[in-house]
Amino acid sequence: TAAAPPALPAPGSPSSSAAPSPPKASEIEAVPEFFRRLQSLCDRAFEASVLCTCESSGGCTTSEILRCAHCALTICRQCTDRFATASHDLEPVASGTRDPSAF
C-alpha cells in the first residue's frame, strides 16, 4: 500500500522549516538578463515548431503562417480552406526563416 502523504501543520502553528531568505542584490540584478536570454530561447523554439498540420518533422510549409489573436491557433494560409477557421481572428505571424532542425 502507498504511504500517506505527510500531514500539513495546523493553521497558526509554526512550520517545521524556516522562511526563505530574501534574494540578494546580485540575484535581483540578474533577473532582466535571465528574461532576455529566455526570450531568445523562446523565439528559437517557436521558429523550430510545427505550426500547421501540413508540416511534418523536419519540414516547413512555404505558405504564410497565421495565428489566432484569441486562442493562439496557428495554421498556414494554404490550409485555411481545409479547416473551419471562421471563428478565429487570424493574423499573419512575422517570422524569419524557419528551420525545425536548428533548435
Side-chain angles (χ1 to χ4, degrees):
T1 62
L8 297 173
S13 67
S15 68
S16 61
S17 62
S21 60
K24 298 175 183 156
S26 61
E27 293 171 330
I28 293 172
E29 292 168 359
V31 169
E33 177 59 25
F34 169 78
F35 281 106
R36 274 193 290 280
R37 293 177 67 200
L38 185 59
Q39 180 61 50
S40 173
L41 180 63
C42 290
D43 292 342
R44 288 178 44 223
F46 176 79
E47 292 295 329
S49 297
V50 172
L51 299 178
C52 186
T53 59
C54 70
E55 296 182 328
S56 63
S57 180
C60 288
T61 181
T62 56
S63 185
E64 179 181 40
I65 295 291
L66 306 169
R67 181 183 325 169
C68 178
H70 303 290
C71 73
L73 165 94
T74 57
I75 189 168
C76 78
R77 187 166 300 280
Q78 185 175 341
C79 288
T80 57
D81 61 342
R82 298 185 329 173
F83 295 94
T85 58
S87 63
H88 295 280
D89 183 11
L90 298 174
E91 300 173 341
V93 174
S95 179
T97 303
R98 295 178 48 229
D99 181 6
S101 65
F103 185 68

